[in-house]
Amino acid sequence: MSVHSETKAVSVPQLAQARAEGRKLVMLTCYDASFARVIDAAGIDLILIGDSLGMVVQGHDSTLPVQVEDVVYHTAAVARGARRALKIADFPFGSDPAPAQAHAAAVRFIQAGAAMVKLEGAGHKLETIRYLVEREIPVCAHLGLTPQSVLRMGGFKVQGREQSAAEQLRASALAVAEAGASLLVLEGVPAALASAITAASPIPTIGIGAGPGCDGQVLVLHDLLGIDTGHRKPKFVKDFLAEGGSIAGAIHAYAAAVRAGTFPGPEHAYS
Ligand code: KIV
């Protein structure tokens, strides 16, 4: 069962409540009103207007070219289609270098229809998380394989495999929660590490390439539908269209598998 009722929008406090009650959170990316309508009807809890739009909508090789304007545009479109799912807008690369600049962008995302904003990393971003939360803007943090770090990482690589990196990741997870984040996306990290972080985390975790031990899961919509975006599909991706039989069926099948704990399976996880 989804965290939301038929009529009411999913709220930020309901995320912690779902975790406390042991209900998995289901998140999906979306970039337009029509898909948002289908996703909302399928009872998906959270919609991420991700900067992945740079790769799956705009055709770039990374998320780096995405602009604040793009995220505002797609957030507004999604908000017109989805009334109930909680909508999270993603800060694009370079848009959150300091708290005041991040706040200016975040206000635009909220006014376009988002109820939460997502930013990658910890470190100097902790100050930004605190700044936004103190100004009533809920924040989702994103750690592990953060796609905006692709140049430093030398590609889209699993993070936290070495002990020192794993310890750093654990410390960052606690730090973003302490700074006030309400949700934490863990991307591309070994399953055992993601489970340990989830157990220690005071806030719900959402995994993508992080194994089955998180409090919820997120996938990129195009990956769930098996659409060829011109990019190599990582092992955590599953095409649900075959078993779902239709776009709505695929989204329902994904939500059911996450809630039943059957997706992701061991074949989708890193060690
Ligand atoms: O931009 C995005 O879609 C994301 C998810 C992959 C978590 O950040």
Side-chain angles (χ1 to χ4, degrees):
M1 199 155 94
S2 92
V3 294
H4 64 274
S5 74
E6 281 301 303
T7 49
K8 280 192 167 167
V10 178
S11 69
V12 174
Q14 281 178 298
L15 307 181
Q17 198 183 324
R19 172 188 161 119
E21 292 169 5
R23 283 180 287 126
K24 292 271 188 190
L25 293 164
V26 186
M27 188 196 281
L28 199 49
T29 71
C30 183
Y31 318 96
D32 71 25
S34 300
F35 274 111
R37 201 177 304 281
V38 178
I39 289 171
D40 219 25
I44 299 296
D45 305 310
L46 302 141
I47 293 179
L48 173 63
I49 301 93
D51 64 354
S52 51
L53 72 89
M55 297 175 76
V56 303
V57 177
Q58 298 174 332
H60 296 295
D61 287 337
S62 77
T63 61
L64 304 184
V66 177
Q67 304 290 313
V68 166
E69 211 54 56
D70 300 329
V71 177
V72 171
Y73 173 90
H74 287 282
T75 299
V78 167
R80 282 181 218 115
R83 308 280 171 192
R84 292 173 296 171
L86 189 149
K87 291 162 281 292
I88 304 175
D90 212 0
F91 281 106
F93 178 68
S95 65
D96 53 358
Q101 280 150 299
H103 182 258
V107 168
R108 297 192 66 199
F109 299 152
I110 298 290
Q111 289 176 343
M116 186 178 276
V117 297
K118 178 170 85 58
L119 54 77
E120 295 185 9
H124 76 90
K125 302 282 181 82
L126 296 173
E127 198 191 336
T128 297
I129 296 174
R130 254 180 240 110
Y131 190 94
L132 295 176
V133 172
E134 279 169 6
R135 285 158 184 79
E136 309 300 350
I137 297 177
V139 173
C140 172
H142 182 167
L143 298 173
L145 193 177
T146 46
Q148 290 173 19
S149 314
V150 64
L151 300 177
R152 174 179 56 78
M153 294 185 308
F156 298 103
K157 296 183 177 166
V158 176
Q159 301 294 300
R161 280 191 161 136
E162 303 77 26
Q163 198 182 332
S164 60
E167 276 162 19
Q168 176 65 55
L169 209 48
R170 272 182 230 256
S172 295
L174 294 179
V176 295
E178 195 275 329
S182 302
L183 200 61
L184 168 60
V185 168
L186 288 172
E187 178 168 358
V189 301
L193 176 60
S195 293
I197 289 176
T198 299
S201 173
I203 58 173
T205 63
I206 305 287
I208 175 163
C214 295
D215 298 309
Q217 293 293 325
V218 58
L219 272 186
V220 169
L221 176 63
H222 294 57
D223 291 339
L224 174 146
L225 296 176
I227 295 172
D228 178 7
T229 56
H231 305 291
R232 189 182 59 82
K233 298 282 183 201
K235 73 183 284 194
F236 58 76
V237 162
K238 179 173 172 187
D239 173 358
F240 281 90
L241 194 57
E243 70 186 73
S246 66
I247 290 173
I251 295 168
H252 273 282
Y254 163 64
V258 171
R259 290 185 180 126
T262 56
F263 177 80
E267 70 277 25
H268 305 116
Y270 298 106
S271 53

